[in-house]
Amino acid sequence: MDFDLTPPIGVGPLQIGMSRQAANTALGSLRDLSAVSESDRPGQHVFRPSGLMISIHCVRDMLEAIELGRPSSGTDRVLFQGVDVFALPAREVVRRVGEVTSIEEDPDDDASFIAPDLLLGFWRPFAADDEPDEEQGFFFSSVLLARPGYYDTPAQAAERLRQSS
């Protein structure tokens, strides 16, 4: 199954800003009932047979972020404008996403990248850009799609609030 990232809207039935109850229902609809994982936690995350993890983050009864973890097989794909974010090397994902929007190295983690205008975050535990056999560092391990302001510092949040007034 293909999961298309459509920032800042969501992924499939998971829509940023929906109620926690609606998000729980949408998350449940992404389970493969023929192969339910013992690791599933309703209202938190599900694991598909491919190993793809889909997690929701709700605050104040509202879906604020969706995180997807790299599958172990190719039966599920996570795409952003045709770019398979888990099948391509991390540096290639950064290059191709950079053709669409700005993307920058996370100042706190040089193995991770943020596309701030789209509210996408790409994470891997460490960088191993020249070592394809080191999958955890060569490929991204997770991608996060979030609500506007999710990455804001307190000062940035105050400025965003001031500008919207």
Side-chain angles (χ1 to χ4, degrees):
M1 173 182 262
D2 286 351
F3 293 86
D4 290 307
L5 302 170
T6 54
I9 297 167
V11 179
L14 293 166
Q15 305 285 303
I16 297 296
M18 69 188 336
S19 72
R20 179 183 300 271
Q21 183 177 356
N24 291 347
T25 300
L27 180 65
S29 75
L30 297 174
R31 296 173 87 189
D32 182 333
L33 296 178
S34 68
V36 173
S37 171
E38 291 181 18
S39 298
D40 285 1
R41 297 289 172 264
Q44 294 178 8
H45 57 259
V46 298
F47 287 84
R48 294 184 45 82
S50 68
L52 176 70
M53 182 268 311
I54 305 166
S55 177
I56 59 173
H57 305 275
C58 296
V59 175
R60 294 180 296 281
D61 197 41
M62 183 180 78
L63 180 62
E64 289 200 336
I66 306 156
E67 183 176 10
L68 295 101
R70 187 169 187 256
S72 52
S73 76
T75 55
D76 286 325
R77 299 184 317 157
V78 178
L79 305 167
F80 171 69
Q81 295 195 3
V83 176
D84 188 330
V85 302
F86 295 131
L88 295 172
R91 285 287 172 192
E92 179 66 10
V93 171
V94 169
R95 186 189 70 73
R96 292 176 71 183
V97 170
E99 293 173 355
V100 177
T101 189
S102 66
I103 185 166
E104 52 203 47
E105 196 172 273
D106 183 332
D108 299 324
D109 180 359
D110 63 0
S112 299
F113 292 81
I114 298 170
D117 296 338
L118 297 179
L119 303 152
L120 285 176
F122 300 89
W123 180 84
R124 57 188 169 161
F126 56 89
D129 294 323
D130 298 327
E131 309 227 7
D133 293 334
E134 188 59 70
E135 287 191 21
Q136 288 188 9
F138 192 68
F139 298 98
F140 283 117
S141 298
S142 69
V143 62
L144 181 103
L145 186 151
R147 63 154 177 79
Y150 187 80
Y151 291 116
D152 286 356
T153 64
Q156 290 169 323
E159 177 62 19
R160 181 184 298 276
L161 187 62
R162 186 188 67 73
Q163 288 179 354
S164 68
S165 298

